[in-house]
Amino acid sequence: MPAVSKGDGMRGLAVFISDIRNCKSKEAEIKRINKELANIRSKFKGDKALDGYSKKKYVCKLLFIFLLGHDIDFGHMEAVNLLSSNKYTEKQIGYLFISVLVNSNSELIRLINNAIKNDLSSRNPTFMCLALHCIANVGSREMAEAFAGEIPRILVAGDTMDSVKQSAALCLLRLYKTSPDLVLMGEWTSRVVHLLNDQHMGVVTAAISLITCLSQKNPDEFKTCVSLAVSRLSRIVSSASTDLQDYTYYFVPAPWLSCKLLRLLQCYPPPEDGAVKGRLVECLETILNKAQEPPKSKKVQHSNAKNAILFEAISLIIHYDSEPNLLVRACNQLGQFLQHRETNLRYLALESMCTLASSEFSHEAVKTHIETVINALKTERDVSVRQRAADLLYAMCDRSNAKQIVAEMLSYLETADYSIREEMVLKVAILAEKYAVDYSWYVDTILNLIRIAGDYVSEEVWYRVIQIVINRDDVQGYAAKTVFEALQAPACHENMVKVGGYILGEFGNLIAGDPRSSPLVQFNLLHSKFHLCSVPTRALLLSAYIKFINLFPETKSTIQEVLRSDSQIRNSDVELQQRAVEYLKLSSIASTDVLATVLEEMPPFPERESSILAKLKKKKGPGAVSVNELEEGKREGGELNGGGERGGDNSAIATSNASTPSPSADLLGLRAGPPVTAAAPSAGSLLVDVFSEAGVNDDGFLSSAPPSVVSEDPAPPLPESNELLNKFVCKNNGVLFENQLLQIGIKSEYRQNLGRMYLFYGNKTSVQFVTFSTTVTCPGELQSQLNVQSKPVEPLIEGGAQVQQVINIECLTDFSDAPLLNIKFRYGGALQNLTLKLPVTINKFFQPTEMASHDFFQRWKQLSLPQQEAQKIFKANHAMDTEVLKAKLLGLGMALLENVDPNPENFVCAGVIQTKAQQVGSLLRLEPKRASSDVPINRAQQ
Amino acid sequence: MIGGLFIYNHKGEVLISRVYRDDIGRNAVDAFRVNVIHARQQVRSPVTNIARTSFFHVKRSNIWLAAVTKQNVNAAMVFEFLYKMCDVMAAYFGKISEENIKNNFVLIYELLDEILDFGYPQNSETGALKTFITQQGIKGQHQTKEEQSQITSQVTGQIGWRREGIKYRRNELFLDVLESVNLLMSPQGQVLSAHVSGRVVMKSYLSGMPECKFGMNDKIVIDKQGKGGTTDDPGKSELGGSGKQSIAIDDCTFHQCVRLSKFDSERSISFIPPDGEYELMRYRTTKDIILPFRVIPLVREVGRTKLEVKVVIKSNFKPSLLAQKIEVRIPTPLNTSGVQVICMKGKAKYKASENAIVWKIKRMAGMKESQISAEIELLPTNDKKKWARPPISMNFEVPFAPSGLKVRYLKVFESKLNYSDHDVIKWVRYIGRSGIYETRC
């Protein structure tokens, strides 16, 4: 750099700056600047040409004013003029002004580009560097267009000075980052890669940044750099600390270059060439060895530089994930750092270990440090380090140490920072579920979790507990007991109350035998929390109360009293008020039978991905998760909410469900409750089917035609095919018969071996039917197989009116025939006689069962006897839609098993036929063949 | 209610800090400094909300006064208080400057204790305050119990602004009508908006407890009298010769000594005046304003690099009157590189630091006109932004009230002491100043 002469001190600028600094107020400053601007304007306007010095001075002042935050709208021309000066200082100021203040002004950009071009083609290295720096600083598209072709040439030319090469490499990197489409490396690729062999370390350092960036975009083109990088690395690693002169930093040879080389290697898989690989492994070993050596200096810079290389090397080892030996060594090295007194080192060690823990080779090695990590979690003073420790514990957890880790995390949670509590809670919940060996431990853990950090327990967590408790009948009793005990604490968290309300509502009966937890005690306990809870929780509790009425009839009066009180029935919250009113009516009007059906225990939840996991994914933030995944997370969240609503609103759903089978469906006016249908689709399982059917039925069972029957239905084992009967194989409700006089609607429901059928006889005419009578008969041997009782109907049906008949059916043993219904009445004097088959088939008494893939096939094979198996191949009359088929199969009453058959096209079902005499398990396979549209049906019975 | 009051110098150092309520912590002092005084953008709003705390500030030269509160207070009340506070301080030690505040800080704390109690504003009448907060210090033995109780009864009594037993040899009374006239005019001479805001300031040196009655040419009063008096003599003009008989006052406010009930019922202004100087009333008019000056601008752009400006001003009042301190400010474009000015009267100069040509004329009689012409050279810029042409503004002082307000009478009655209205020497003066007096060009 040319020496700065005395005249370049620019006194005027110094005076101006000190004037501004001395200004007492903003206004004074603005005045001073206005004055200066006017002065500069008059100077620039003046007719006599300014000399280089004063031009530089005024441009400098303008720059200073601009940096103070004022607009500058002139002087660009003068700055561009400075570019063509021969003096370094003037050129420098010109470039500085351009870099800071340039905007894409077309006329000036051309001038600037011209000046840059001149400088680039000059032989003066300092001018070339200035020009390159300016290009890099501005980095606009125009500049990229103008110089993208020129710079690579400078970069690889043999006669370019080293310092210029350095600048050129970095300048190219910048242009590549702003407009990658304009920087075409094609012909230069190999020569750029060979810069790694350059004598000058500075050039190599600059070039490697460029190469790393380029090879991330097109790794194949730059593949050759791997071997060069390895050899360069090994030369540096093996050099003595004095070899590299200027590039030795506190006794560490070229630390920046080493780090960049290691990072470049992380862009590629392990080298395939054995020699290269051997050399690389050697390098990595040397680096690991060096970490063990005593430090050459006590200065912090020395250890920082050394550790930087070490951590990059470990990242590379983890990236390769193929050298068990190195992985374990790396792990041990990190283990040492875990107890280092440098906080940063501990942090980095924990972070690296997290990735190590996921590698199969080093997982065990990582696990040996569990005590240290737990200790770190407890004693670290820096929250970010504790966070990493928690992450690591989560990563290293497996079945063997789950209990210990979960216990530690739980105990830490009591003192954890607020910022990481929610994440910790989620992690504990996931680990507890994932590695739960027995579910009582799981329930204990989660309830503990809610007790300790209730505020941070998100909805998903407690939904999950309830899902699991409902799906596992072996823990239900234990859960009820634990929850009951937990609720006895004088102050317990609202989430605990929710879980408690739900579980006691469902399974309170399991602990009611104990006088200490008698129904009334349970109720009083729950109700004591009622007034401290928010509205949604109160709503849940109300549902729990009505469930209590069903479970324990002795509490009925107490609960009715509560429901009737003004604070419930006149609550200002509409939801609470509605629930109170409806439940009160329901409890006082409905018979115990109806109550039992309406308030039945919740069916098991369908298994799906743990909602908590999704929540944790979402919580990790948009940085890690792509938009797509995020949206998925949201959708998941929505579903969850739906699911949760279902969890919370169980009895609301159940009640509305009751409107279908209830003999006096409109009695409670419950049909008006729209939330049912809103909640139903989200439940997404068997339940949906029932609901949608019910919905259709509600509007359609008098007027609309029955849904078209698809005859690809799995054929029932009936000897003769009866149209009217067939369509009821897979559904329970619909129109059984219709002519111009009479319409017969049907609603039926089955539970185990019992069924109840409602027949609705509608008079379509305006004339009354008289002597209306019906009889149900069981022909032949059916009499011993099926027990059918019907209540008599009124003999008179007014025109347009409808009467209802209830028929109770009990299945004694398996049967194949259907009972007959005979109807007689007089219409306008003429006697009408009608005989129909009642749609009662054996599949109505199916109880769906879930089973795993290997269970299924094991049983399937056991049923090898010819009489145990039935097969039928038939032609599909309609195009086969998977969803329609699924719905049909579900309608059949069996459980549709997903992911059981290796061929995803096939449908597999399992169910148990419940009769009074015995229970018959049966399996079904439906193999649709698209090409031939043959549908072979396999059916096995035991 | 006001939670605290701080006074800062221009650097943001705290000169006075008085906290009245617990909800204002010490950090409020810093919050205001950081967010308002040292704010990156100039804070233009007088009310700033920082962390649920409201800061109301006024600025006097380089001094910031800030009232702080966490409650939802009446902002107008707070500002009224702050202005009163400025008046009180000015009455005690003159100009509000950093040095004066530092020299009188004990006094200021004393004043603050008296005029704000637990954040509620108290008596801030200078005359009354001066009786018990003095700058000389009070020597206990000189003040008898009687005097003390007299102060107490006066401060807490019905007429808090005047003490009893005042005696002057010469009963004298000065009345100033001070108006500022605001105008925005289009280049073609159309009035876009104009209003006058005026004050009646009184200095009274009267003995005893006199009862005063003030009368002016208020339209409502004149009309009422016209109806009540002889019907065929509407032009009975004892009012000045400007031809205008009465003025319509849009709104007015009074000093607390004025009996508002009487004003409401009879629209007569009667009061027992405080001793010394005070502002009797404030008012605003928008109709029939006499515009003392007319500005006729002529701006011509000659190419991209030159601008020719010619401005003519005409005075529009009686030739016998003299306007003073006339100043015309002609803004110049931001890329001005040189200015040549020629003016017939007064002095004109280009002030680069303010981006304006300033033309000053010391005196100018009514019904005259004068002009200035300037050539402005411009530096071509690459910016496409067009010059916004800010309006030409003007300052002046004229010896009449542009609103047309006239004082009809000021009667003094003192029943106990034996001097009558005729014995009081009364002085009336009108001063009209320019407020924001702008003409677009």
Side-chain angles (χ1 to χ4, degrees):
Chain A
M1 194 190 287
V4 176
S5 66
K6 265 214 166 139
D8 288 342
M10 292 193 282
R11 216 178 100 73
L13 178 67
V15 169
F16 173 59
I17 292 175
S18 76
D19 275 0
I20 293 227
R21 297 237 163 105
N22 289 335
C23 281
K24 289 238 165 165
S25 64
K26 200 130 197 161
E27 293 77 38
E29 185 183 307
I30 289 168
K31 276 192 174 168
R32 179 71 184 89
I33 284 170
N34 279 338
K35 200 172 146 198
E36 193 61 43
L37 283 176
N39 175 35
I40 298 172
R41 279 196 299 261
S42 67
K43 283 290 189 320
F44 282 173
K45 177 77 178 183
D47 297 328
K48 59 177 177 37
L50 290 170
D51 58 346
Y53 166 75
S54 30
K55 220 182 259 177
K56 180 182 73 175
K57 184 175 73 183
Y58 293 130
V59 168
C60 256
K61 283 183 181 175
L62 285 181
L63 195 55
F64 182 75
I65 293 171
F66 176 77
L67 293 178
L68 280 178
H70 301 266
D71 275 343
I72 296 297
D73 51 6
F74 66 101
H76 299 77
M77 201 55 216
E78 282 70 20
V80 175
N81 284 345
L82 282 178
L83 295 185
S84 51
S85 161
N86 276 325
K87 275 195 184 152
Y88 171 78
T89 50
E90 287 167 21
K91 214 184 248 299
Q92 184 201 24
I93 295 293
Y95 273 123
L96 188 61
F97 187 89
I98 300 293
S99 311
V100 174
L101 258 142
V102 89
N103 43 19
S104 30
N105 187 315
S106 58
E107 35 191 318
L108 273 182
I109 271 287
R110 249 189 313 119
L111 288 171
I112 295 167
N113 282 356
N114 206 17
I116 292 177
K117 208 160 264 171
N118 284 340
D119 279 338
L120 284 183
S121 55
S122 77
R123 313 301 302 156
N124 188 331
T126 42
F127 289 178
M128 287 173 88
C129 279
L130 276 179
L132 286 168
H133 293 169
C134 179
I135 298 171
N137 278 331
V138 177
S140 67
R141 203 162 168 85
E142 288 84 3
M143 289 225 168
E145 271 164 11
F147 302 108
E150 177 89 3
I151 297 168
R153 196 173 307 132
I154 297 173
L155 177 59
V156 296
D159 55 348
T160 316
M161 295 264 292
D162 289 333
S163 59
V164 179
K165 272 191 191 171
Q166 262 175 287
S167 301
L170 294 176
C171 178
L172 197 58
L173 174 61
R174 160 74 195 214
L175 290 188
Y176 183 74
K177 278 180 177 164
T178 49
S179 28
D181 52 319
L182 291 176
V183 182
L184 301 167
M185 292 310 290
E187 42 190 321
W188 313 108
T189 307
S190 66
R191 297 177 71 181
V192 169
V193 170
H194 276 277
L195 283 175
L196 288 178
N197 273 338
D198 202 284
Q199 295 288 313
H200 192 265
M201 296 288 261
V203 177
V204 184
T205 315
I208 202 162
S209 296
L210 176 65
I211 293 169
T212 310
C213 183
L214 288 170
S215 59
Q216 272 161 357
K217 284 275 159 59
N218 18 336
D220 290 338
E221 282 180 41
F222 289 87
K223 217 164 192 166
T224 43
C225 71
V226 173
S227 61
L228 286 178
V230 170
S231 63
R232 187 94 219 185
L233 181 66
S234 83
R235 259 180 288 159
I236 295 170
V237 168
S238 57
S239 67
S241 55
T242 48
D243 280 1
L244 293 169
Q245 297 292 343
D246 288 350
Y247 286 87
T248 301
Y249 176 81
Y250 289 89
F251 306 104
V252 181
W256 280 275
L257 183 52
S258 311
C259 283
K260 284 183 174 182
L261 283 166
L262 287 164
R263 208 166 280 175
L264 173 63
L265 289 174
Q266 283 172 42
C267 303
Y268 290 96
E272 282 141 23
D273 184 353
V276 176
K277 191 171 185 184
R279 215 166 161 193
L280 179 58
V281 169
E282 204 176 299
C283 281
L284 293 173
E285 273 171 352
T286 321
I287 293 172
L288 288 172
N289 286 340
K290 274 192 180 172
Q292 298 295 333
E293 287 170 14
K296 291 197 179 74
S297 157
K298 280 203 173 127
K299 288 257 171 57
V300 67
Q301 289 95 330
H302 171 72
S303 58
N304 276 350
K306 223 167 81 171
N307 291 332
I309 300 176
L310 181 63
F311 274 108
E312 277 307 328
I314 290 175
S315 307
L316 184 63
I317 293 169
I318 295 170
H319 169 71
Y320 285 166
D321 196 16
S322 59
E323 301 283 333
N325 180 27
L326 284 177
L327 279 167
V328 170
R329 278 194 66 182
C331 182
N332 292 340
Q333 184 60 51
L334 291 177
Q336 284 180 16
F337 283 147
L338 283 184
Q339 277 148 322
H340 204 278
R341 52 189 175 78
E342 237 343 271
T343 313
N344 290 334
L345 269 186
R346 291 199 300 270
Y347 179 92
L348 288 169
L350 287 167
E351 199 183 27
S352 302
M353 268 210 178
C354 267
T355 38
L356 265 182
S358 54
S359 163
E360 50 174 323
F361 300 112
S362 50
H363 187 78
E364 288 306 315
V366 171
K367 267 167 68 183
T368 54
H369 299 290
I370 185 165
E371 291 303 332
T372 327
V373 180
I374 287 172
N375 204 29
L377 187 64
K378 283 177 182 160
T379 56
E380 275 296 346
R381 278 161 65 193
D382 189 324
V383 60
S384 59
V385 183
R386 286 197 298 266
Q387 163 103 55
R388 291 291 145 252
D391 284 349
L392 179 53
L393 274 183
Y394 178 68
M396 68 163 65
C397 186
D398 63 10
R399 208 168 280 278
S400 65
N401 54 13
K403 275 198 179 174
Q404 183 194 3
I405 285 179
V406 167
E408 288 298 344
M409 284 173 107
L410 263 182
S411 69
Y412 169 63
L413 204 52
E414 294 191 56
T415 53
D417 305 81
Y418 297 104
S419 52
I420 64 171
R421 273 198 183 179
E422 188 175 353
E423 205 186 317
M424 290 282 293
V425 166
L426 286 175
K427 282 181 168 160
V428 170
I430 289 169
L431 290 180
E433 186 189 333
K434 202 164 157 193
Y435 300 114
V437 222
D438 70 280
Y439 279 92
S440 53
W441 173 72
Y442 171 75
V443 170
D444 274 346
T445 308
I446 299 293
L447 290 184
N448 240 338
L449 194 65
I450 295 175
R451 189 176 53 76
I452 292 169
D455 281 339
Y456 299 90
V457 172
S458 54
E459 301 277 281
E460 285 82 358
V461 173
W462 75 261
Y463 290 167
R464 193 68 192 152
V465 192
I466 286 176
Q467 283 178 15
I468 285 182
V469 170
I470 297 233
N471 289 5
R472 311 252 156 206
D473 34 9
D474 47 336
V475 285
Q476 287 163 357
Y478 180 76
K481 186 165 158 282
T482 327
V483 163
F484 179 76
E485 277 160 11
L487 280 178
Q488 275 168 334
C492 59
H493 194 269
E494 192 164 333
N495 280 336
M496 183 68 92
V497 179
K498 288 182 189 168
V499 176
Y502 198 105
I503 288 185
L504 290 182
E506 292 288 333
F507 311 115
N509 53 339
L510 298 178
I511 55 167
D514 191 330
R516 280 167 301 172
S517 56
S518 72
L520 218 54
V521 174
Q522 282 184 39
F523 171 74
N524 285 336
L525 183 61
L526 275 183
H527 198 59
S528 67
K529 315 283 181 198
F530 186 88
H531 301 281
L532 306 171
C533 293
S534 63
V535 170
T537 311
R538 289 189 192 192
L540 190 147
L541 284 179
L542 286 180
S543 297
Y545 293 170
I546 187 76
K547 289 232 159 189
F548 266 46
I549 293 188
N550 175 40
L551 290 179
F552 319 114
E554 67 266 35
T555 60
K556 189 172 176 174
S557 59
T558 322
I559 289 172
Q560 279 181 338
E561 200 53 48
V562 169
L563 290 175
R564 201 176 288 129
S565 71
D566 273 359
S567 60
Q568 310 303 350
I569 212 157
R570 300 222 174 120
N571 197 300
S572 58
D573 188 90
V574 181
E575 176 67 28
L576 290 183
Q577 195 186 66
Q578 187 177 355
R579 283 191 188 212
V581 171
E582 287 178 0
Y583 292 162
L584 184 61
K585 274 285 169 226
L586 182 67
S587 66
S588 50
I589 290 174
S591 66
T592 35
D593 259 16
V594 173
L595 266 186
T597 325
V598 170
L599 304 171
E600 190 183 4
E601 191 178 296
M602 289 298 286
F605 287 85
E607 284 300 330
R608 57 164 99 94
E609 191 204 0
S610 167
S611 48
I612 315 174
L613 217 56
K615 166 98 177 178
L616 185 70
K617 258 187 223 157
K618 210 162 71 180
K619 205 171 152 46
K620 284 293 182 186
V625 191
S626 74
V627 182
N628 220 347
E629 272 176 281
L630 257 183
E631 263 168 24
E632 206 166 70
K634 265 186 212 150
R635 197 177 48 74
E636 187 94 15
E639 216 170 85
L640 281 176
N641 280 343
E645 188 149 337
R646 180 184 159 211
D649 280 349
N650 52 7
S651 12
I653 287 172
T655 3
S656 296
N657 191 7
S659 69
T660 316
S662 164
S664 50
D666 258 330
L667 174 74
L668 303 176
L670 281 176
R671 289 251 184 88
V676 184
T677 30
S682 60
S685 71
L686 276 166
L687 222 55
V688 176
D689 228 14
V690 177
F691 284 149
S692 51
E693 287 275 44
V696 165
N697 213 354
D698 272 351
D699 327 315
F701 91 116
L702 274 180
S703 56
S704 71
S708 68
V709 176
V710 190
S711 66
E712 83 210 9
D713 278 353
L718 275 177
E720 77 279 355
S721 159
N722 185 330
E723 252 287 11
L724 279 175
L725 202 53
N726 251 357
K727 68 182 182 191
F728 284 100
V729 169
C730 295
K731 42 195 231 138
N732 290 332
N733 310 317
V735 177
L736 180 66
F737 172 83
E738 184 164 22
N739 62 12
Q740 58 270 53
L741 301 179
L742 179 73
Q743 188 195 45
I744 305 174
I746 190 165
K747 277 187 184 182
S748 48
E749 47 169 0
Y750 296 91
R751 249 183 109 192
Q752 301 192 330
N753 64 331
L754 297 176
R756 185 176 293 166
M757 193 176 272
Y758 302 95
L759 291 170
F760 300 91
Y761 304 99
N763 184 349
K764 286 172 76 180
T765 66
S766 50
V767 186
Q768 57 178 213
F769 296 160
V770 288
T771 62
F772 189 89
S773 72
T774 64
T775 47
V776 180
T777 52
C778 292
E781 59 174 358
L782 194 61
Q783 209 144 15
S784 59
Q785 292 162 340
L786 213 58
N787 185 5
V788 182
Q789 293 170 340
S790 60
K791 290 176 185 158
V793 280
E794 284 165 23
L796 200 84
I797 305 179
E798 291 292 340
Q802 191 187 49
V803 295
Q804 178 190 309
Q805 183 180 25
V806 183
I807 300 170
N808 287 320
I809 304 160
E810 187 183 14
C811 177
L812 303 172
T813 177
D814 60 327
F815 64 98
S816 54
D817 225 331
L820 296 175
L821 171 71
N822 184 264
I823 303 158
K824 287 185 192 140
F825 61 90
R826 282 185 185 277
Y827 165 66
L831 178 76
Q832 307 281 332
N833 194 347
L834 202 63
T835 306
L836 294 170
K837 278 196 173 180
L838 275 183
V840 180
T841 49
I842 185 74
N843 68 304
K844 300 291 183 198
F845 302 98
F846 261 134
Q847 184 101 334
T849 39
E850 296 283 348
M851 56 178 76
S853 179
H854 73 270
D855 279 351
F856 181 83
F857 283 106
Q858 203 178 356
R859 294 198 184 190
W860 187 268
K861 281 180 195 121
Q862 281 168 3
L863 306 173
S864 53
L865 294 171
Q867 69 267 29
Q868 286 181 318
E869 198 175 336
Q871 183 169 14
K872 183 167 181 178
I873 299 173
F874 58 91
K875 217 175 175 91
N877 297 6
H878 297 262
M880 285 184 293
D881 185 326
T882 322
E883 290 310 314
V884 172
L885 276 180
K886 274 187 185 170
K888 290 281 167 201
L889 287 173
L890 285 173
L892 195 62
M894 298 172 101
L896 187 62
L897 304 179
E898 303 274 15
N899 305 325
V900 167
D901 201 289
N903 183 355
E905 294 278 341
N906 291 352
F907 297 95
V908 169
C909 302
V912 178
I913 295 176
Q914 308 265 4
T915 67
K916 195 179 179 185
Q918 59 179 348
Q919 298 193 343
V920 183
S922 63
L923 309 172
L924 177 143
R925 251 171 108 189
L926 178 70
E927 297 174 8
K929 286 189 187 149
R930 301 255 159 203
S932 63
S933 44
D934 272 351
V935 184
I937 272 267
N938 283 0
R939 187 188 166 101
Q941 273 202 355
Q942 197 177 17
Chain B
M1 292 306 105
I2 299 171
L5 197 130
F6 307 123
I7 301 180
Y8 300 85
N9 66 5
H10 71 280
K11 287 185 215 152
E13 291 162 349
V14 189
L15 305 176
I16 301 286
S17 154
R18 182 76 175 82
V19 176
Y20 291 95
R21 280 168 184 252
D22 291 339
D23 54 358
I24 302 300
R26 289 281 150 202
N27 50 1
V29 187
D30 299 324
F32 183 76
R33 175 175 52 232
V34 171
N35 291 296
V36 180
I37 301 181
H38 292 162
R40 218 163 270 200
Q41 260 92 38
Q42 212 174 344
V43 174
R44 301 178 70 185
S45 159
V47 184
T48 321
N49 258 302
I50 307 160
R52 319 193 82 202
T53 311
S54 307
F55 293 83
F56 306 78
H57 75 261
V58 297
K59 216 180 158 196
R60 286 280 179 276
S61 65
N62 272 335
I63 298 298
W64 300 75
L65 279 90
V68 194
T69 182
K70 280 221 163 177
Q71 281 158 310
N72 185 12
V73 297
N74 181 347
M77 183 275 283
V78 177
F79 282 109
E80 185 63 34
F81 170 77
L82 285 175
Y83 291 138
K84 260 274 142 49
M85 166 95 195
C86 291
D87 291 345
V88 168
M89 289 200 290
Y92 269 95
F93 49 77
K95 196 171 165 279
I96 298 176
S97 65
E98 183 175 349
E99 204 187 331
N100 274 343
I101 287 179
K102 279 180 176 168
N103 290 340
N104 291 290
F105 78 93
V106 178
L107 172 74
I108 293 173
Y109 277 116
E110 213 173 325
L111 285 171
L112 281 175
D113 281 345
E114 193 55 43
I115 60 180
L116 261 187
D117 186 12
F118 195 48
Y120 292 96
Q122 306 294 310
N123 191 356
S124 54
E125 199 55 49
T126 321
L129 284 172
K130 276 194 171 168
T131 60
F132 52 93
I133 299 179
T134 63
Q135 277 158 295
Q136 281 78 35
I138 299 161
K139 295 207 177 76
Q141 63 267 38
H142 282 261
Q143 207 168 20
T144 59
K145 262 213 172 116
E146 264 171 55
E147 279 172 328
Q148 280 177 357
S149 65
Q150 200 188 342
I151 288 172
T152 315
S153 70
Q154 191 241 311
V155 168
T156 53
Q158 207 177 13
I159 302 164
W161 56 87
R162 190 181 178 95
R163 66 190 163 87
E164 279 178 64
I166 301 172
K167 279 233 166 65
Y168 288 103
R169 234 159 25 114
R170 233 154 78 112
N171 290 310
E172 225 173 351
L173 201 146
F174 299 85
L175 201 64
D176 283 352
V177 177
L178 307 171
E179 293 193 341
S180 78
V181 52
N182 300 284
L183 168 78
L184 181 63
M185 193 178 251
S186 77
Q188 289 75 35
Q190 194 184 357
V191 176
L192 301 173
S193 84
H195 74 269
V196 170
S197 60
R199 317 189 286 146
V200 178
V201 175
M202 207 166 163
K203 225 184 254 181
S204 65
Y205 303 106
L206 300 173
S207 312
M209 290 295 249
E211 175 84 34
C212 295
K213 207 173 168 191
F214 174 69
M216 55 180 179
N217 56 342
D218 183 356
K219 194 162 192 241
I220 299 172
V221 179
I222 299 287
D223 286 357
K224 219 196 272 175
Q225 282 179 351
K227 265 180 222 158
T230 45
T231 43
D232 56 347
D233 196 12
K236 186 184 85 163
S237 62
E238 63 199 88
L239 314 164
S242 66
K244 241 176 70 173
Q245 314 249 314
S246 56
I247 59 161
I249 289 174
D250 284 12
D251 49 55
C252 54
T253 55
F254 293 101
H255 188 267
Q256 59 165 331
C257 64
V258 175
R259 295 194 184 91
L260 289 178
S261 55
K262 220 157 191 182
F263 179 76
D264 288 340
S265 58
E266 301 166 25
R267 216 170 163 88
S268 74
I269 302 163
S270 68
F271 54 95
I272 295 172
D275 198 37
E277 188 174 339
Y278 63 98
E279 187 183 288
L280 179 66
M281 73 177 284
R282 235 185 258 193
Y283 59 91
R284 201 170 67 92
T285 68
T286 49
K287 282 204 192 84
D288 302 327
I289 291 164
I290 308 160
L291 297 173
F293 283 96
R294 167 86 204 278
V295 177
I296 306 160
L298 203 78
V299 180
R300 201 158 64 93
E301 283 178 49
V302 188
R304 279 191 68 198
T305 58
K306 208 168 162 190
L307 201 68
E308 283 182 2
V309 181
K310 205 171 109 179
V311 176
V312 179
I313 58 168
K314 283 183 181 168
S315 55
N316 179 29
F317 45 89
K318 272 195 271 180
S320 59
L321 299 175
L322 270 182
Q324 283 184 311
K325 300 179 191 167
I326 301 153
E327 186 184 287
V328 183
R329 180 176 290 263
I330 305 160
T332 56
L334 294 173
N335 55 346
T336 305
S337 60
V339 177
Q340 275 95 45
V341 207
I342 311 160
C343 60
M344 304 191 306
K345 221 177 156 196
K347 281 179 193 164
K349 207 179 159 191
Y350 168 59
K351 286 201 171 166
S353 59
E354 289 153 37
N355 282 323
I357 299 169
V358 179
W359 177 27
K360 283 181 177 166
I361 305 170
K362 279 202 180 119
R363 251 175 238 105
M364 190 166 172
M367 306 314 271
K368 289 261 169 63
E369 76 171 61
S370 184
Q371 80 167 19
I372 183 175
S373 56
E375 267 182 32
I376 301 171
E377 280 178 76
L378 303 175
L379 188 75
T381 62
N382 41 18
D383 235 354
K384 300 284 178 289
K385 261 190 288 174
K386 224 174 158 256
W387 182 44
R389 288 205 186 194
I392 294 171
S393 62
M394 206 179 160
N395 289 320
F396 53 80
E397 206 179 288
V398 288
F400 61 90
S403 68
L405 180 131
K406 290 274 188 313
V407 176
R408 287 171 64 213
Y409 56 81
L410 180 72
K411 291 174 190 152
V412 181
F413 310 100
E414 170 54 88
S415 46
K416 284 183 191 154
L417 300 170
N418 50 359
Y419 70 91
S420 70
D421 185 36
H422 301 290
D423 302 329
V424 180
I425 307 161
K426 301 168 191 168
W427 305 85
V428 179
R429 178 167 68 163
Y430 299 95
I431 300 173
R433 291 202 181 94
S434 57
I436 298 168
Y437 201 85
E438 291 177 335
T439 308
R440 290 190 178 151
C441 62

